[in-house]
């Protein structure tokens, strides 16, 4: 295949993506033995970089891997990668695997060097139509493993669940487990019921998003009624508003779930307020050049 003309990073080297190669014996390739992180960048400034790097570090701890760099070195390498791209708004992808090892063995190898890979793609904001009119979603039982709080590269279950949304022509698959709302296949999900924003509490079944945390922070700053609590499937299906949040989608309103209208079928008043708060925060952070 033809690789895009982008500069990537692999094990200390910046080079065109087409020139970067990883061993076929890499445990990320053979076992999905690794973690990743995705960081939104606006006007060449990464948003909430510290929080993203701390989540990356927590994922590494969870799979018993040493962090190859400290926060300052990570920040420097990420900024160098950002500066080498031709576009200002980016999505920086970081992947760290346990590295190549032989023979193939499920157990950790006695000694191996991690594989550290990064690239940056252009970050395109949600369309004005999606923001104004909302998006649709379908639902599914959560078929994933029990450590979804680790941002692991072994994402086959998420891929299958996301494909359900693609096949249905909608934006996301919303996941339920044991009668409770969990998250989306590639997003966090929050709901509004009777004027109160409800957010599922972080757990092993959920990857707590940096955008999820920011939305909760903004809700508190602006005195939006908020409860972080388990949300039943019936509450979610009867919600007045449903939101999805992610680093690439920011905040979007879900106005249809499994073909049933959510609320009025249009983005609700709390969503419109939160979307405004988010844009003000993002633009001010980028103007000041801070996280």
């Amino acid at each position: 295949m033809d690789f895009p003309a982008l500069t990537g990073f692999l094990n200390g080297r910046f080079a065109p993506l087409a020139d970067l190669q990883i061993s076929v014996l890499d445990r990320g390739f053979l076992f999905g033995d690794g973690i990743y992180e995705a960081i939104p960048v606006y006007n060449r400034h990464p948003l909430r970089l510290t929080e993203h790097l701390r989540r990356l570090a927590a994922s590494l701890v969870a799979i018993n891997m040493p962090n190859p760099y400290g926060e300052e070195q990570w920040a420097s390498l990420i900024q160098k990668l950002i500066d080498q791209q031709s576009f200002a708004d980016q999505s920086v992808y970081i992947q760290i695997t346990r590295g190549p090892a032989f023979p193939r063995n499920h157990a950790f190898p006695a000694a191996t060097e991690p594989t550290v890979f990064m690239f940056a793609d252009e970050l395109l904001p949600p369309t004005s139509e999606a923001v104004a009119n909302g998006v649709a979603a379908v639902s599914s039982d959560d078929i994933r493993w029990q450590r979804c709080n680790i941002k692991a590269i072994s994402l086959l279950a998420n891929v299958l669940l996301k494909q359900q949304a693609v096949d249905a022509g909608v934006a996301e698959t919303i996941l339920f487990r044991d009668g409770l709302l969990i998250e989306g296949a590639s997003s966090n999900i929050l709901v509004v019921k009777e004027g109160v924003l409800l957010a599922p509490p972080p757990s092993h079944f959920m990857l707590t998003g940096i955008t999820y945390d920011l939305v909760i922070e903004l809700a508190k700053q602006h005195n939006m009624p908020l409860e972080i609590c388990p949300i039943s499937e019936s509450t979610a299906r009867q919600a007045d508003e449903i939101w999805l949040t992610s680093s690439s989608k920011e905040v979007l309103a879900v106005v249809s779930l499994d073909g049933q209208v959510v609320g009025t079928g249009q983005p609700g008043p709390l969503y419109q307020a939160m979307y405004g708060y988010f844009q003000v925060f993002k633009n001010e952070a980028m103007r000041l050049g801070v996280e």
Side-chain angles (χ1 to χ4, degrees), residues 143 155-165 173:
I143 61 173
L155 289 171
L156 180 58
N158 295 71
V159 168
L160 295 173
L161 290 163
K162 190 69 175 184
Q163 190 61 38
Q164 290 185 26
T173 302

Side-chain angles (χ1 to χ4, degrees), residues 11 15 21 26 34 42 51 53 64-66 68 78 80 84 88 93 100 125 132 136 149 167 202-203 240 248 250 255:
N11 295 337
Q21 297 180 346
D26 194 277
Y42 298 97
E51 288 80 358
L53 292 178
N64 296 316
M65 275 187 64
I78 290 167
K80 287 180 181 177
Q84 294 188 55
Y93 177 85
N149 59 313
D167 291 343
S203 74
D240 301 316
S248 60
E250 299 183 349
V255 297

Side-chain angles (χ1 to χ4, degrees), residues 14-279:
F14 290 95
L17 283 181
D19 295 343
L20 299 178
Q21 297 180 346
I22 295 173
S23 170
V24 295
L25 293 176
D26 194 277
R27 288 178 61 88
F29 175 64
L30 295 177
F31 294 105
D33 184 2
I35 61 94
Y36 75 103
E37 190 63 45
I39 304 171
V41 175
Y42 298 97
N43 196 26
R44 302 193 183 276
H45 294 288
L47 185 68
R48 297 247 146 165
L49 178 61
T50 297
E51 288 80 358
H52 280 281
L53 292 178
R54 288 175 180 170
R55 184 172 65 175
L56 180 147
S59 292
L60 288 169
V61 168
I63 66 169
N64 296 316
M65 275 187 64
N67 196 331
Y69 303 122
E71 278 194 19
E72 289 187 7
Q73 193 171 7
W74 271 119
S76 176
L77 290 170
I78 290 167
Q79 193 61 55
K80 287 180 181 177
L81 181 70
I82 292 168
D83 291 343
Q84 294 188 55
Q85 313 308 322
S86 62
F87 34 81
D89 292 350
Q90 306 174 25
S91 177
V92 170
Y93 177 85
I94 304 170
Q95 178 168 302
I96 307 169
T97 77
R98 213 173 299 272
F102 188 83
R104 182 184 181 276
N105 191 318
H106 284 68
F108 297 167
T112 184
E113 289 294 322
T115 297
V116 182
F117 172 58
M118 296 193 294
F119 72 93
D121 200 0
E122 187 171 10
L123 179 62
L124 301 176
T127 65
S128 56
E129 180 181 359
V131 172
N133 299 323
V135 298
V138 293
S139 69
S140 175
D141 290 334
D142 192 348
I143 61 173
R144 304 169 303 164
W145 70 325
Q146 297 189 42
R147 289 303 307 274
C148 297
N149 59 313
I150 301 173
K151 204 166 175 68
I153 62 174
S154 45
L155 289 171
L156 180 58
N158 295 71
V159 168
L160 295 173
L161 290 163
K162 190 69 175 184
Q163 190 61 38
Q164 290 185 26
V166 172
D167 291 343
V170 300
E172 183 60 299
T173 302
I174 294 177
L175 308 179
F176 297 99
R177 185 191 291 258
D178 299 328
L180 295 176
L181 171 67
I182 303 298
E183 60 181 347
S186 61
S187 65
N188 288 123
I189 303 296
L190 302 89
V191 306
V192 174
K193 185 69 175 175
E194 296 177 353
V196 179
L197 177 61
L198 306 177
S203 74
H204 281 184
F205 295 124
M206 166 183 157
L207 180 66
T208 305
I210 306 303
T211 307
Y212 164 99
D213 286 339
L214 177 55
V215 164
I216 288 176
E217 181 181 316
L218 291 172
K220 292 177 179 178
Q221 286 180 4
H222 294 277
N223 298 314
M224 185 177 288
L226 168 70
E227 291 184 22
I228 301 174
C229 60
I231 302 169
S232 69
E233 181 172 351
S234 61
T235 296
R237 292 190 180 279
Q238 297 169 21
D240 301 316
E241 302 182 30
I242 299 177
W243 307 352
L244 68 81
T245 68
S246 75
S247 292
S248 60
K249 297 292 190 294
E250 299 183 349
V251 189
L252 285 176
V254 176
V255 297
S256 171
L257 177 59
D258 292 331
Q260 300 297 311
V261 172
V262 176
T264 64
Q266 291 291 318
L270 262 65
Y271 165 77
Q272 293 176 10
M274 179 55 68
Y275 180 80
Y277 300 150
F278 188 95
Q279 298 306 311

